Amino acid sequence: MPDMDAGDFQQRYYSSADGLTLYARDYQPEGAATAGRLPVICLPGLTRNSRDFHPLALFLCRDETAPRRVIALDSRGRGNSAWDENKANYNLAVETADVIAACAAFGIERAIFIGTSRGGLILHLIAATRPDLLEAVILNDIGPAIEAGGLALIRDYLNSGRKPADWKEATDTLQENHGASFTALSVEDWREMTLALYRDIDGRPVADFDPAIAEALQSVDLSQPLPELWEQFESLSRFPLMLIRGENTALLSKETVEEMVLRHPSLVLHAAHGQGHAPLLHLGNIPAAIEAFLAKFR
């Protein structure tokens, strides 16, 4: 299966505070088109990577009236970032420090952030520890409380042990596992999701993350209440905030969304119709909704 990339970005490498080599895609419009306009930084989900944001990044950096620089990060152990020998470092605190290191490496003093799932949890921590970096935030199907049932689905899927023999099987497996909650996806959308999730190794698709990240979920006791980040959300609620919720998500409950709106009355809520966890941000009217939200900021 051919690569989805077309040379529309610069490949950037930088070092974490503990010396790990990390990777980002840097989408920069030509010339001075973005002068004075804040960049957008994209943070992926638990086992996802910067490829998730490729179509959206192209849309935003090519905007005819207000193009923006877009930087999409690969968290440690995912995509083109190095795997960590100390598996305990795959945690929110360390990964939050990695995002802060990326901002320093790329000279970003302030930005608009998009966080998908785990990336959104990281933004809760940044709001509490480095609020100076935030101008506005878009959360993709995540909030300060997550549902144990939804996390169990992710745990079981990631640890199923099923390894596709070829690219067609990889795409078929994705659709088999997620088709019921992602009814909005076309054949091409499933193909693009496959390209985002797997890398080609000797002609075979291999999940593009350190297996230790998925294995760690098996030790989580889902019979006990999961940690919540409402205190950190109070810090996040000081900023302009947009929340995208998958219509069929099992991770972010309607009750949690209602509480988020109560605590942040100006929150912009957008439903991703025909999508589960986590919505693909380039489908349907989501790009236009994000564009409208970004238009409020220089």
Side-chain angles (χ1 to χ4, degrees), residues 116-130:
T116 292
S117 195
R118 187 178 181 90
L121 297 178
I122 289 171
L123 290 175
H124 281 70
L125 300 190
I126 290 178
T129 59
R130 284 294 308 274

Side-chain angles (χ1 to χ4, degrees), residues 142-283:
I142 196 67
I146 61 177
E147 299 303 300
L151 189 59
L153 290 173
I154 295 171
R155 176 200 62 195
D156 295 344
Y157 165 70
L158 292 177
N159 289 286
S160 67
R162 186 171 179 179
K163 297 179 180 180
D166 55 38
W167 285 98
K168 182 182 184 304
E169 184 180 343
T171 302
D172 290 346
T173 300
L174 279 180
Q175 191 165 3
E176 176 186 319
N177 283 295
H178 304 296
S181 56
F182 282 88
T183 57
L185 272 62
S186 68
V187 172
E188 182 61 23
D189 295 328
W190 287 111
R191 176 184 174 278
E192 287 185 357
M193 183 188 286
T194 305
L195 288 171
L197 276 169
Y198 295 90
R199 70 164 56 236
D200 189 300
I201 297 181
D202 297 327
R204 293 188 59 174
V206 177
D208 203 6
F209 60 87
D210 186 340
I213 297 168
E215 292 166 3
L217 284 179
Q218 295 181 308
S219 65
V220 178
D221 185 356
L222 297 180
S223 68
Q224 299 298 316
L226 295 172
E228 297 185 351
L229 297 175
W230 287 110
E231 182 178 346
Q232 291 79 3
F233 183 77
E234 292 300 323
S235 298
L236 191 60
S237 66
R238 299 198 299 266
F239 298 94
L241 182 63
M242 179 180 185
L243 173 63
I244 298 167
R245 181 179 184 269
E247 179 183 27
N248 305 317
T249 182
L251 199 75
L252 180 62
S253 72
K254 293 181 179 178
E255 292 74 19
T256 295
V257 173
E258 290 169 358
E259 182 65 24
M260 292 169 73
V261 172
L262 282 175
R263 299 190 186 206
H264 194 318
S266 61
L267 181 150
V268 176
L269 181 59
H270 184 83
H273 297 294
Q275 296 205 63
H277 181 82
L280 305 180
L281 296 179
H282 60 283
L283 296 187

Side-chain angles (χ1 to χ4, degrees), residues 91-102 121-127 129-130 133:
N91 65 67
L92 288 176
V94 171
E95 291 168 24
T96 296
D98 291 344
V99 175
I100 294 171
L121 297 178
I122 289 171
L123 290 175
H124 281 70
L125 300 190
I126 290 178
T129 59
R130 284 294 308 274
L133 291 173

Side-chain angles (χ1 to χ4, degrees), residues 19-192:
L20 205 65
T21 299
L22 305 178
Y23 172 87
R25 291 181 168 198
D26 194 348
Y27 299 77
Q28 296 196 53
E30 293 183 4
T34 61
R37 199 169 292 120
L38 290 171
V40 174
I41 298 179
C42 301
L43 312 181
L46 176 66
T47 58
R48 308 299 287 258
N49 57 71
S50 58
R51 297 196 293 278
D52 267 354
F53 299 103
H54 182 66
L56 179 67
L58 292 179
F59 176 80
L60 296 178
C61 78
R62 293 173 177 174
D63 186 286
E64 293 184 359
T65 58
R68 292 183 186 271
R69 180 186 184 188
V70 180
I71 299 173
L73 305 184
D74 281 355
S75 301
R76 62 175 61 207
R78 292 85 158 178
N80 289 334
S81 287
W83 292 12
D84 198 321
E85 293 183 3
N86 181 1
K87 307 308 178 183
N89 283 337
Y90 295 130
N91 65 67
L92 288 176
V94 171
E95 291 168 24
T96 296
D98 291 344
V99 175
I100 294 171
C103 291
F106 302 140
I108 305 298
E109 297 181 355
R110 198 169 184 84
I112 301 163
F113 285 79
I114 300 175
T116 292
S117 195
R118 187 178 181 90
L121 297 178
I122 289 171
L123 290 175
H124 281 70
L125 300 190
I126 290 178
T129 59
R130 284 294 308 274
D132 57 295
L133 291 173
L134 304 179
E135 175 69 21
V137 169
I138 299 174
L139 298 177
N140 184 18
D141 211 57
I142 196 67
I146 61 177
E147 299 303 300
L151 189 59
L153 290 173
I154 295 171
R155 176 200 62 195
D156 295 344
Y157 165 70
L158 292 177
N159 289 286
S160 67
R162 186 171 179 179
K163 297 179 180 180
D166 55 38
W167 285 98
K168 182 182 184 304
E169 184 180 343
T171 302
D172 290 346
T173 300
L174 279 180
Q175 191 165 3
E176 176 186 319
N177 283 295
H178 304 296
S181 56
F182 282 88
T183 57
L185 272 62
S186 68
V187 172
E188 182 61 23
D189 295 328
W190 287 111
R191 176 184 174 278
E192 287 185 357

